[in-house]
Amino acid sequence: MTRYALRVASVAAALGVWQLLTSLNVDLWLRFSQFPTVADVARAFADRMAGDDYWTDLTDSLTRILSGFLLAAVVGVATGVLVARSRPAEDLLGPILEVVRPIPAIALVPVSILLFPSNEQGIVFITFTAAFFPVMVSTRHAVRALSPGWEEAVRTMGGGRWRILGSVVLPGALPGIFGGLSVGIGVSWICVISAEMISGEYGVGYRTWQDYTVVDYPGVFVGMVTIGVLGWATSTAVELLGRRLTRWLPRTSYVPAGRPRPRHLGAPTPGPASSASASSAAVSSASTSSGSASSGDAADDAVRTGPESEGTRHEHLV
């Protein structure tokens, strides 16, 4: 509860400083006298929400961003896995991807105008391009970082290529994939707003640019706040989905530097002896479960757990 109160207090303090500087027309180096006050932006926000154009712009921008982002998520993950797992695919697609990747997505506006018959499809294409490369690169690195032992274990148990893909590659790369998705959704918002400003019809970016051309600065800030809230909401949704799908991963809690994590009273301190005993217990239980298959195996297990075997195992642990 203290963390949420601190966050609310930080936002309230920032708004208070904004209101103070703009209401007093402070002009030291930055010209806050040109800025609208928080009260002006709040009134403009209330007026916009009362009309239909605001919700139409909101719907259009969300439709564009979700269409391009979802398409980029599917194609980016598939391309990243393919390039990471196939040498011919890396040789064929790698040079093209690496040449196109540094080009800013907003620079593709003229290309989209020439290629697509409507501005709507061109904006979705720009949004797709903006999100595709972060997702593809993150997926490629995550797949290449997987331990080869996992794949060998599945092959030993008779698993084929698709079993390895579904049981090892995709689950193991999920943290990296969602890292790329989090970056991609933010870049998508930047590019879709810029594309709407240049060639859009309706949308938050289009309306913000129109407010700027008619010198309606409170309206400009309404668009900026709307973009910020939408970007935060979509990024949070992606992160929550990622945590949901990777809930099997161990989670680490934040511990300030210099403060050791408190240990419960009565809990034994782990040491070499306890570690060795725990390992011995694990080995004993494993040998017991495997020895129940037949009486002959049980006799062999009994021989293997003799004094000589114990000494050998302790020497291995040491």
Side-chain angles (χ1 to χ4, degrees), residues 290-304:
S290 60
S292 60
S294 64
S295 59
D297 292 338
D300 294 339
D301 291 340
V303 173
R304 280 195 293 270

Side-chain angles (χ1 to χ4, degrees), residues 215-253:
V215 199
D216 183 8
Y217 293 125
V220 172
F221 276 85
V222 168
M224 293 170 61
V225 172
T226 302
I227 295 166
V229 172
L230 290 176
W232 169 79
T234 51
S235 298
T236 302
V238 171
E239 292 180 2
L240 290 177
L241 179 61
R243 292 180 183 179
R244 179 74 175 177
L245 294 179
T246 60
R247 59 183 181 272
W248 45 270
L249 287 173
R251 303 295 181 186
T252 58
S253 58

Side-chain angles (χ1 to χ4, degrees), residues 77-288:
V77 171
T79 305
V81 172
L82 182 63
V83 170
R85 302 273 304 172
S86 173
R87 190 176 297 274
E90 182 182 7
D91 295 335
L92 290 174
L93 300 177
I96 300 175
L97 294 174
E98 292 303 320
V99 169
V100 178
R101 184 163 67 95
I103 301 175
I106 195 61
L108 298 177
V109 171
V111 177
S112 66
I113 293 175
L114 295 175
L115 284 178
F116 296 94
S118 66
N119 289 338
E120 192 72 22
Q121 296 174 356
I123 294 175
V124 172
F125 167 73
I126 293 172
T127 307
F128 161 79
T129 306
F132 168 77
F133 287 103
V135 175
M136 186 272 296
V137 172
S138 298
T139 302
R140 183 182 63 186
H141 288 302
V143 172
R144 287 177 176 174
L146 293 177
S147 174
W150 299 348
E151 181 176 344
E152 294 298 329
V154 176
R155 290 186 184 277
T156 303
M157 298 175 64
R161 180 177 302 176
W162 293 106
R163 182 64 180 271
I164 293 173
L165 183 65
S167 301
V168 174
V169 176
L170 291 180
L174 271 182
I177 291 174
F178 274 97
L181 292 175
S182 298
V183 175
I185 191 67
V187 179
S188 296
W189 273 111
I190 296 173
C191 293
V192 75
I193 296 301
S194 302
E196 288 177 350
M197 288 182 177
I198 296 174
S199 62
E201 295 179 1
Y202 297 102
V204 179
Y206 172 81
R207 191 68 56 188
T208 303
W209 182 253
Q210 293 299 313
D211 291 334
Y212 174 75
T213 57
V214 298
V215 199
D216 183 8
Y217 293 125
V220 172
F221 276 85
V222 168
M224 293 170 61
V225 172
T226 302
I227 295 166
V229 172
L230 290 176
W232 169 79
T234 51
S235 298
T236 302
V238 171
E239 292 180 2
L240 290 177
L241 179 61
R243 292 180 183 179
R244 179 74 175 177
L245 294 179
T246 60
R247 59 183 181 272
W248 45 270
L249 287 173
R251 303 295 181 186
T252 58
S253 58
Y254 171 74
V255 178
R259 294 184 181 179
R261 188 183 300 275
R263 185 176 292 125
H264 295 288
L265 294 177
T269 302
S274 60
S275 301
S277 60
S279 302
S280 301
V283 173
S284 302
S285 61
S287 62
T288 303

